Amino acid sequence: MIHEYARDSHGEYVLRRLAEATGGRMLEVKGMDRISDALDEISEELHHQYSLGYYPENKHWDGKFRKIQVAASGEGYKVYVRKGYYANRAKAAAAATQP
């Protein structure tokens, strides 16, 4: 029988990779007494974030993966960005028509 609090290390790995691939991060909280600190950290981060967007010059929608690289100049900044995107016409057309 699996203990109800058993950890799945493979699941944590998958969650971390998914978060990083989509521009986020996984915040690991060790112990119920640390939840308040974690929520404070999340709140602070949400109050100091920006969203950026761009239109690629390459209009060849070939479905290939295109890498994205974003960096901040100066010290003390944290950048969380997805690794890239797939150049699919359907997604590009939908994004172009949204306000």
Side-chain angles (χ1 to χ4, degrees):
M1 180 168 144
I2 298 177
H3 190 273
E4 65 180 281
Y5 298 109
R7 296 176 65 105
D8 178 0
S9 61
H10 181 69
E12 288 179 28
Y13 170 79
V14 171
L15 180 59
R16 186 178 307 277
R17 293 290 307 258
L18 178 62
E20 290 171 358
T22 57
R25 67 184 179 104
M26 185 180 93
L27 183 61
E28 188 173 349
V29 179
K30 295 184 179 184
M32 295 300 288
D33 57 328
R34 299 285 321 264
I35 289 178
S36 180
D37 292 337
L39 292 174
D40 288 343
E41 184 177 339
I42 292 168
S43 177
E44 181 71 17
E45 202 170 283
L46 289 174
H47 283 89
H48 295 92
Q49 70 178 5
Y50 295 88
S51 295
L52 301 174
Y54 80 104
Y55 294 98
E57 292 180 13
N58 182 352
K59 302 296 183 194
H60 184 66
W61 307 111
D62 55 9
K64 292 183 180 176
F65 186 79
R66 296 184 184 166
K67 293 181 181 179
I68 296 174
Q69 184 176 6
V70 177
S73 61
E75 294 184 26
Y77 296 103
K78 296 178 185 175
V79 177
Y80 299 102
V81 62
R82 57 195 253 190
K83 304 292 183 192
Y85 66 97
Y86 289 95
N88 294 325
R89 179 172 295 283
K91 289 181 183 177
T97 60
Q98 292 180 358

